[in-house]
Amino acid sequence: MPRPPGHGPGYETKRQEIIDQAARLFAKQGYAATGIAEIGQVAGLAKGALYYYIGSKENLLVEIQNRVLNPLLAAARRIAALDEDPVLRLRLLSQTLLELILARLDHIWVYEHDYRHLRGANRTRLLRQRHEFEKIVRELLTEAMETGAFRTMDARLAMLQFLNMHNHTYQWAKPGGEWDAELLSREYCATLISGFRSPDYDAGDLDERVRRFREREQV
């Protein structure tokens, strides 16, 4: 939600703080179980002042979803468009997804559990964005099959395996835990690729190719 006309930079700073606080509350006790008065108490604002910053409780949920989907989709589109082999792009997408999950564990919890509370255009937009990301993953998997890197299989089922392995990380990961996104992506993809690959595909140098690519692109 853009800053309304006439509001200074302090308005946006405070609004972002409220979104952070709401994400923590929603992740801890659920969107439906968290009242607007409770959010105001944590933010140190009366109800009227809180609405001045957020407009509605649902707007908070929209903002939290946007913080997850907007950067994820932007990165996924960029990775999908790279002139690199599809397995490398899947590995890059895997690490990007895990970096976002580990950076915003509370947001991911809300994203996974509370999106059903969105209504109308907000829900339609969210589902469209989710479907776009799923389509990117599915198309990369299909391309890997077409190039012979992966065996022929149901692309939608393969996509669900990829997403389920990654998306459930938020349930047990801890901030600053022992496993970072790079290690998790390497291990997840080693498991997936060993099952997905065709007999002739050798992924032995994949991690080295990922390292060289990320160094070259400074990502």
Side-chain angles (χ1 to χ4, degrees), residues 9 25 73 88 92 123 165-166:
L25 280 174
L73 273 177
L88 175 61
L92 293 170
R123 185 183 177 96
M165 181 172 279
H166 289 76

Side-chain angles (χ1 to χ4, degrees), residues 64 68 97 100-102 104-113 167 170:
I64 293 166
V68 173
L97 174 57
L100 177 61
I101 289 172
L102 294 180
R104 291 197 178 275
L105 287 170
D106 50 4
H107 288 62
I108 299 297
W109 185 278
V110 178
Y111 170 79
E112 291 290 345
H113 288 262
N167 288 353
Y170 78 95

Side-chain angles (χ1 to χ4, degrees), residues 154-193:
D154 186 308
R156 182 171 180 273
L157 181 57
M159 177 268 293
L160 291 172
Q161 291 178 75
F162 179 95
L163 293 181
N164 284 340
M165 181 172 279
H166 289 76
N167 288 353
H168 290 162
T169 302
Y170 78 95
Q171 294 182 337
W172 51 262
K174 304 294 182 185
E178 59 179 311
W179 299 319
D180 62 13
E182 182 180 1
L183 184 146
L184 289 174
S185 178
R186 185 168 66 245
E187 293 299 320
Y188 286 6
C189 288
T191 299
L192 288 167
I193 293 169

Side-chain angles (χ1 to χ4, degrees), residues 26-41:
F26 295 162
K28 182 178 180 181
Q29 56 198 41
Y31 174 83
T34 304
I36 199 72
E38 190 172 2
I39 299 169
Q41 184 177 17

Side-chain angles (χ1 to χ4, degrees), residues 52 85 94 110 150 164 183 205:
Y52 168 78
D85 83 77
S94 162
V110 178
F150 288 176
N164 284 340
L183 184 146
D205 67 341

